[in-house]
Amino acid sequence: MGHDISALRKFVSPEIVFGAGSRKSVANFASNFGAKHVFLVSDPGVAAAGWVGEIVNLLTDAGIRITVYTGVSANPRVDEVMAGAELYKSSECDVIVAIGGGSPMDCAKGIGIVVSDGRNILDFEGVDTIVNPPPPMILIPTTAGTSADVSQFAIISDPARRFKFSIISKAIVPDVSLIDPEVTETMSSYLTACTGVDALVHAIEAYVSTGSGPLTDSNALEAIRLINRNLEPLVANTADAYLREQIMLASMQAGLAFSNAILGAVHAMSHSLGGFLDLPHGLCNAVLLEHVVAYNFHSAEERFRRIAEAMNIDTRGMSQTEIQKRLMSRIIQLKRAVGLEAKLSELGVRVSDIPSLSGFALQDPCILTNPRKSSLRDVQVVYEEAL
């Protein structure tokens, strides 16, 4: 009697192999899935860095055929998913491997959905719309990161609507995630900063989300601690293997947190920006972060106090107003230190774009778990403050 079903929390994650060299087990896992012909999804940047070639060699040595698909943009598009699915089918592939950042990984998830169902990827927008299980998926992240490799999210751009839509389903939690800090060696300082702040936003939003619970909280807070301590030194010295491993671990924990607790207004608003203006996701999150923290602060004061503590702020004896001020200044300081202090206007956002952007943000599922309920006007004001 009296069981509140909304109080139940489930936690999904792939099989994870974490650590230097874990990418080298890709052929072993593919073989375990019975792979005869792997569909390898990546993008031109990752291919140029040499990682696609290495994975091709590992699979070839194991006697597995490969079809490579690198036709993926920074914000992966509907047509790219559909073209990949066509190639998968015409090549008669049976297992998907993706190596890259969030874009190739999300595209690979989209391809997996389409090849097992046959409909257009647009038909799967929303929560739990997938009926047929996708083929086995092995994901190898090259950034730390977007955490698509551990999440039940895929975010695809629909240029026809200028809209980034979300697919959320445990069917697209990959079977295996090979999280190898060595692969992040080829990231620039700028990409390290963008994806590191993305992971910080994942952790903060998951921790204050209305979907948070004990299984996600510990992952979120630890991710915040690790990023707060290690991101600045890593951006200054991307060759440091220890720091890279710490940020890769933080990214994974932030991903496990947000995949299960869902996100909030930063992501809803940044998906809207990414779809409308084709801007990089991590940068959008960075620009919006402290403005959304200010907007949400009084709806989750105790949670934001713990976030401040995880960011090494001694909150003893502080008023809420003081905690908010200190937390926001730490976020701004961290962003400045890693070189991400652009404003929306500098990214080409105009005041006249804000009504459209706000309408799209309110259609994003992430807005539903934001700790403060948001109206169109609320979202417009936050965008205006970030200009």
Side-chain angles (χ1 to χ4, degrees):
M1 279 299 291
H3 289 301
D4 178 8
I5 196 80
S6 70
L8 295 176
R9 290 286 177 263
K10 67 176 183 181
F11 190 90
V12 294
S13 86
E15 181 173 352
I16 296 171
V17 186
F18 182 92
S22 63
R23 68 186 181 282
K24 291 173 182 159
S25 56
V26 64
N28 196 6
F29 279 102
S31 301
N32 289 349
F33 290 126
K36 305 220 173 355
H37 195 149
V38 159
F39 192 70
L40 179 58
V41 183
S42 192
D43 67 22
V46 177
W51 298 116
V52 172
E54 183 179 340
I55 300 304
V56 166
N57 290 340
L58 288 165
L59 292 169
T60 305
D61 290 348
I64 299 169
R65 295 173 62 200
I66 306 115
T67 294
V68 178
Y69 180 64
T70 55
V72 184
S73 307
N75 286 308
R77 302 194 311 261
V78 169
D79 57 294
E80 293 168 347
V81 171
M82 299 312 291
E86 275 306 303
L87 184 59
Y88 178 104
K89 285 187 286 207
S90 63
S91 308
E92 300 187 339
C93 296
D94 43 25
V95 167
I96 294 175
V97 175
I99 182 160
S103 312
M105 292 194 286
D106 278 354
C107 191
K109 290 179 177 188
I111 290 167
I113 295 167
V114 171
V115 296
S116 61
D117 190 290
R119 285 180 294 159
N120 193 291
I121 192 63
L122 289 164
D123 293 345
F124 298 94
E125 183 176 332
V127 181
D128 288 336
T129 58
I130 299 166
V131 192
N132 304 329
M137 277 191 281
I138 303 168
L139 267 49
I140 308 169
T142 57
T143 65
T146 57
S147 308
D149 54 290
V150 298
S151 82
Q152 55 176 335
F153 279 66
I155 315 291
I156 308 293
S157 274
D158 177 10
R161 286 183 290 170
R162 292 181 72 176
F163 182 56
K164 268 187 116 161
F165 65 94
S166 302
I167 300 170
I168 307 175
S169 166
K170 67 167 189 260
I172 51 172
V173 176
D175 298 274
V176 179
S177 171
L178 304 177
I179 305 180
D180 186 342
E182 288 178 353
V183 182
T184 63
E185 265 171 48
T186 48
M187 286 170 72
S188 66
S189 291
Y190 176 70
L191 190 58
T192 301
C194 275
T195 56
V197 171
D198 188 17
L200 176 65
V201 175
H202 288 154
I204 291 174
E205 291 218 279
Y207 190 66
V208 299
S209 159
T210 57
S212 65
L215 289 165
T216 56
D217 286 350
S218 52
N219 279 303
L221 283 177
E222 182 58 15
I224 294 167
R225 279 187 209 103
L226 287 168
I227 293 167
N228 185 65
R229 188 181 314 136
N230 298 296
L231 187 60
E232 288 168 67
L234 176 62
V235 169
N237 177 18
T238 54
D240 188 310
Y242 171 76
L243 293 173
R244 252 202 327 272
E245 186 166 58
Q246 296 303 296
I247 294 296
M248 201 67 168
L249 183 61
S251 169
M252 178 197 77
Q253 292 190 284
L256 290 171
F258 93 75
S259 175
N260 291 287
I262 319 300
L263 291 154
V266 180
H267 269 79
M269 293 173 67
S270 98
H271 289 154
S272 168
L273 281 166
F276 196 70
L277 298 162
D278 204 26
L279 293 167
H281 174 69
L283 186 58
C284 294
N285 279 342
V287 175
L288 294 164
L289 177 56
E290 70 270 20
H291 302 286
V292 176
V293 168
Y295 172 75
N296 281 333
F297 190 88
H298 295 295
S299 301
E301 286 178 343
E302 179 53 28
R303 294 218 148 222
F304 278 113
R305 184 183 66 75
R306 287 193 216 130
I307 288 169
E309 286 176 350
M311 296 187 80
N312 215 18
I313 297 164
D314 184 353
T315 61
R316 285 176 300 187
M318 277 188 196
S319 68
Q320 294 295 351
T321 313
E322 204 176 342
I323 293 171
Q324 180 182 341
K325 207 167 74 189
R326 286 288 303 279
L327 176 59
M328 286 182 54
S329 72
R330 172 59 190 140
I331 289 169
I332 293 163
Q333 179 197 6
L334 176 62
K335 279 170 41 173
R336 190 165 295 154
V338 299
L340 294 183
E341 39 177 351
K343 295 198 165 5
L344 287 182
S345 52
E346 294 160 35
L347 304 182
V349 180
R350 298 187 304 270
V351 177
S352 56
D353 295 329
I354 288 179
S356 298
L357 289 168
S358 304
F360 284 135
L362 285 182
Q363 293 172 42
D364 191 284
C366 291
I367 204 80
L368 300 173
T369 43
N370 192 66
R372 181 173 165 187
K373 289 288 156 265
S374 312
S375 70
L376 190 64
R377 184 72 200 122
D378 291 334
V379 175
Q380 285 179 337
V381 169
V382 179
Y383 274 127
E384 282 159 13
E385 283 171 358
L387 276 176

